[in-house]
Amino acid sequence: NNLLVLGVCGGIGSGKSLACQILVEELGCWAHLEADTIAHKVYEPHSPAIQQIATHFGQRVMNTINMNNDTAADAATAAAD
């Protein structure tokens, strides 16, 4: 069998989830993995990734992340360092 991997990209609210739902439910694709769901698991409090971020960027960045819980703000803070 030749398996293909398809990535669905687009902006917020562009219909990525709906497109993936159609691919799985109506067109017979085998699986649908949501990167956002996986990323949120990776960045849970006290996860290894969070510990590495704290070690690399320091407590100021961690305080900002914990207070905001805002991914865009987190990225901007990290990029500014």
Side-chain angles (χ1 to χ4, degrees):
N1 290 344
N2 291 329
L3 295 179
L4 300 175
V5 176
L6 173 67
V8 177
C9 303
I12 296 170
S14 63
K16 298 178 300 289
S17 295
L18 178 60
C20 290
Q21 180 181 352
I22 292 169
L23 287 168
V24 171
E25 293 177 3
E26 297 181 21
L27 300 177
C29 289
W30 286 8
H32 168 213
L33 302 175
E34 290 188 38
D36 285 345
T37 302
I38 296 167
H40 286 290
K41 287 282 190 192
V42 169
Y43 289 104
E44 285 180 343
H46 308 294
S47 71
I50 288 296
Q51 297 304 319
Q52 289 178 354
I53 291 169
T55 299
H56 185 77
F57 290 106
Q59 193 57 46
R60 186 177 66 80
V61 170
M62 294 310 300
N63 290 341
T64 302
I65 290 171
N66 292 334
M67 288 172 33
N68 291 337
N69 198 17
D70 179 342
T71 306
D74 300 343
T77 301
D81 285 349

